[in-house]
Amino acid sequence: MPIPGSGLAKGLAVTLRTMTKRSHTAQYPEVQPELPPRSRGVIGLFEENCTVCMLCARECPDWCIYIDSHKETVPAAAPGGRERSRNVLDRFAIDFSLCMYCGICIEVCPFDALFWSPEFEYAETDIHELTHERDKLREWMWTVPAPPALDPAAEEPKEIAAARKAVEKAEAAAAQAAAAAAPAADAEPGTGPGAPGPGSGTPDTPAGGPA
């Protein structure tokens, strides 16, 4: 059977222990918090990688991504070739008053055009200002941290391995071509070790034969 007043005594004991400890108050905004590496602050847009595939806008649960584009005709690269059309981005905006920071748009982007930035200080007094157009989304790219270093024991990425093999193949071909050109240059007439040098020919015989 519990002793009457034991619960109150335990509560007062916790209060006394807390009163004797030093408080840890974060002096924000003078002292910025240390955020985890994968913090979800704001989304940055790398416009050069965007192909206007609309995949991010279709997969967004809140429909807070607005994309407008138009098509342009690209002339043929070679004579007799076929003209091609491409999408040109006109508008890319994200309404952060609707965004729930799920990160689906970043995950489904097949061309790495969207990135998480740890910046979170973009509160506004007007809710309309929370719709960031592509110029502002591009500015957030400067705050995106660099990707973490790969594990030293990890497998080399396929892109780097393919590029390295291409460079090694080109260097081997260049070395082979240089080695094949060297004997050809030595075999040219007048350049071998047994060829007579200048001034080593026999003197001309005077007319009428030898004396």
Side-chain angles (χ1 to χ4, degrees):
M1 181 176 178
I3 301 174
S6 59
L8 178 60
K10 290 181 180 178
L12 291 175
V14 173
T15 302
L16 291 174
R17 286 198 303 269
T18 305
M19 290 176 62
T20 57
K21 291 183 179 179
R22 187 175 181 180
S23 60
H24 297 277
T25 303
Q27 301 297 328
Y28 178 83
E30 287 76 12
V31 179
Q32 294 293 323
E34 295 182 3
L35 301 175
R38 299 182 64 184
S39 297
R40 297 183 179 185
V42 71
I43 298 174
L45 171 67
F46 190 57
E47 188 176 334
E48 285 75 6
N49 287 356
C50 182
T51 60
V52 201
C53 66
M54 303 292 292
L55 193 58
C56 56
R58 291 199 300 265
E59 296 296 331
C60 177
D62 293 332
W63 292 85
C64 63
I65 300 177
Y66 313 110
I67 300 176
D68 293 331
S69 65
H70 69 277
K71 289 185 177 293
E72 284 186 356
T73 302
V74 180
R82 185 180 61 180
E83 294 182 347
R84 298 182 181 272
S85 62
R86 66 173 181 178
N87 293 324
V88 179
L89 185 65
D90 293 330
R91 185 194 182 197
F92 195 110
I94 299 178
D95 187 355
F96 286 102
S97 65
L98 298 177
C99 179
M100 64 179 185
Y101 303 91
C102 63
I104 293 178
C105 58
I106 298 176
E107 296 295 332
V108 300
C109 181
F111 300 104
D112 292 334
L114 298 174
F115 296 87
W116 276 120
S117 167
E119 294 293 327
F120 60 93
E121 297 177 319
Y122 52 92
E124 300 287 349
T125 56
D126 187 358
I127 193 172
H128 296 92
E129 298 297 330
L130 287 175
T131 301
H132 294 185
E133 299 292 338
R134 65 175 183 175
D135 293 337
K136 194 167 186 178
L137 294 175
R138 178 60 182 267
E139 293 178 1
W140 290 123
M141 281 300 301
W142 297 106
T143 64
V144 174
L150 296 176
D151 188 350
E155 183 180 356
E156 187 178 24
K158 295 181 180 180
E159 296 83 357
I160 298 179
R164 179 176 52 79
K165 289 180 181 179
V167 172
E168 291 177 354
K169 185 177 180 180
E171 292 178 350
Q176 186 177 2
D186 294 341
E188 291 180 1
T191 59
S200 60
T202 55
D204 295 336
T205 304

